[in-house]
Structure formats: structure tokens, C-alpha cells
Amino acid sequence: MERPYTILSCAISVDGRIDDASPERLRLSNEEDFTEIDELRAGCDAILVGAGTLRADDPRLLIRSQKLRERRRDQGRTEHLLKAVITRKGHIDPEARLFNTGDAGAVVYTGGSGVDIARKGLEGRLTNDPPAEVADAGDPLEVAAILTDLNERGVQRLLVEGGGHIHTMFLTSGLVDELRLAVAPFFIGDTSAPRFLMSGDYPFTPKTPMRLVETRKLGDVAVLRYCMKAPA
């Protein structure tokens, strides 16, 4: 199977939460880490999030640094990444900021009846320049189908940025090559807060662990990078 090199990146609290339960978005990282993530984004061809992240954060999914954007342009690439969104039911806000920003377009992955729902909801965006597209990734959705489609679009490196259901979907698939965790120096202490991962059948167990390839300190944030090699 031809697919992009896939990196999953997430900032978490020590107790494994990616946000608190308040309406405001919790800052789990620091400026040094944000700068590194910008560099990581600049080295990829596409960035992927779930519809839940879209609803909760309304992210633009852009590269912040003008220098990095200029570097991509000098390489003959778009300034920003192709944006990918996963939605199981096809419900997507056509006014989300990611559809109004960037120069590489967006693709929405869904399946079953969600395909028609998404196409109807995004009808006004399908003629954008660059356009938003809707792609059928199976019912139920399959990570392999998404990665195959991205590969056919010329994506060689993919950055996955959540949320918890998307992290779980990708990590249980065994099709992630690298995991980057930024661990904040505090606890959330609320079981109702969003989690990094859900229950699932993960290929990485005490008998078949991931390989830790890097640990670094960015202020009080610990960055852990793992090589993900699913057992044969």
C-alpha cells in the first residue's frame, strides 16, 4: 500500500487530557513548542483533524511563519498545507475558518450517507479556488482508504492533529509512523475533560512497545518522539 509518512502530534496534560471541560480552549503548550510545530507543519504536505476539533476550536491550520511559507514557495510548493477533515456523519460547517484560509484547498473524508450530506452542506465551497472536496472513505471510515486517497493527491507527509477519536482511529490502525507528544507540566484532574485516546485495540502493547527516539525539554514542556513500528 502506497501511503504518506504519517506523523501524529498532540499536546497533553500529565494525566492524558487534551483540554479541560471549560468553554475556552486550554493552552497546553508554550511558544517554543508552537514554533516547533510550525516547522513540523512546514515539512508536511497535508494536515488532518476531525470534525469535533473543527467544532470545538475552529482552527485555520496554517503555517504561522512567513519565512517558512516563503521557503515552501521557493520549493515550488503551496505556502500552506492541504487540509483534511474526517466526519463520520458528514455534518460540517461550511463557514469553518479552514475553508476560508490557505492556498492548498481542503478535502473532507466521510462515508455512507455522510457523502451526500457533506456535499450538500459544502455546496458553496466546492467551487472555491482552491476548492473544498468531499471524498468517500468507506462505511465505516477506513484509515487505509484516507491515506491511499491522500497519496493519490501527491501527499508524501501527513500531520495528524486530533482530536481524541481521530488519534484513536489512526493509532489503532497501525498506520502511524511517528508519534510526537508535548507533555504539559500540570494535571487537568477532570474525568469529563477530552482525552488523548479512547479505548481501542492498539498494536503497541507491553510486549510490542513503541520505540522512544527522542526526548527534549522546551521550558517546562517535555517533548517525546516515538517511532511507531507495528508488530508483524
Side-chain angles (χ1 to χ4, degrees), residues 166-183:
I166 301 303
H167 294 152
T168 300
M169 181 181 180
F170 271 78
L171 289 173
T172 56
S173 76
L175 296 175
V176 173
D177 298 287
E178 186 177 320
L179 171 63
R180 183 190 187 277
L181 291 178
V183 184

Side-chain angles (χ1 to χ4, degrees), residues 87-100:
T87 169
R88 286 181 171 83
K89 297 183 179 180
H91 299 297
I92 207 85
D93 181 4
E95 299 304 317
R97 292 193 299 173
L98 70 81
F99 296 121
N100 298 309

Side-chain angles (χ1 to χ4, degrees), residues 3-232:
R3 65 174 181 84
Y5 184 87
T6 301
I7 304 166
L8 193 150
S9 175
C10 188
I12 63 173
S13 64
V14 172
D15 53 342
R17 304 289 164 168
I18 58 176
D19 201 352
D20 59 19
S22 70
E24 294 77 26
R25 180 64 174 165
L26 176 68
R27 183 184 171 111
L28 280 156
S29 193
N30 58 26
E31 200 58 40
E32 291 172 275
D33 185 53
F34 290 143
T35 298
E36 281 204 2
I37 292 298
D38 209 35
E39 180 79 40
L40 181 59
R41 286 184 178 187
C44 292
D45 304 299
I47 184 169
L48 182 147
V49 298
T53 297
L54 214 63
R55 287 190 293 271
D57 301 339
D58 193 19
R60 295 183 301 161
L61 303 180
L62 300 177
I63 296 169
R64 299 190 305 168
S65 165
Q66 181 178 345
K67 181 178 179 181
L68 292 176
R69 295 196 302 270
E70 290 174 351
R71 185 180 74 186
R72 286 174 59 89
R73 194 167 59 242
D74 291 343
Q75 294 169 343
R77 306 164 76 186
T78 54
E79 287 193 3
H80 299 284
L81 293 80
L82 172 70
K83 303 168 185 181
V85 181
I86 295 177
T87 169
R88 286 181 171 83
K89 297 183 179 180
H91 299 297
I92 207 85
D93 181 4
E95 299 304 317
R97 292 193 299 173
L98 70 81
F99 296 121
N100 298 309
T101 55
D103 60 343
V107 55
V108 174
Y109 291 102
T110 186
S113 61
V115 175
D116 288 336
I117 292 171
R119 284 178 178 156
K120 183 176 180 180
L122 291 172
E123 188 173 4
R125 296 294 183 192
L126 301 180
T127 55
N128 275 12
D129 184 21
E133 299 181 49
V134 177
D136 190 339
D139 188 15
L141 291 169
E142 295 183 356
V143 171
I146 293 168
L147 294 179
T148 297
D149 182 81
L150 287 169
N151 180 73
E152 292 172 353
R153 295 173 187 271
V155 174
Q156 296 180 359
R157 288 175 68 87
L158 169 67
L159 182 61
V160 179
E161 289 197 357
H165 289 288
I166 301 303
H167 294 152
T168 300
M169 181 181 180
F170 271 78
L171 289 173
T172 56
S173 76
L175 296 175
V176 173
D177 298 287
E178 186 177 320
L179 171 63
R180 183 190 187 277
L181 291 178
V183 184
F186 52 77
F187 302 87
I188 300 300
D190 185 347
T191 57
S192 68
R195 295 182 291 172
F196 168 46
L197 294 173
M198 311 300 169
S199 297
D201 185 13
Y202 295 90
F204 313 103
T205 69
K207 292 184 178 180
T208 55
M210 303 176 291
R211 182 163 57 91
L212 181 65
V213 295
E214 185 180 17
T215 61
R216 284 180 300 106
K217 180 179 183 294
L218 295 178
D220 288 329
V221 171
V223 175
L224 311 175
R225 190 165 65 88
Y226 294 91
C227 174
M228 317 288 282
K229 184 173 176 60

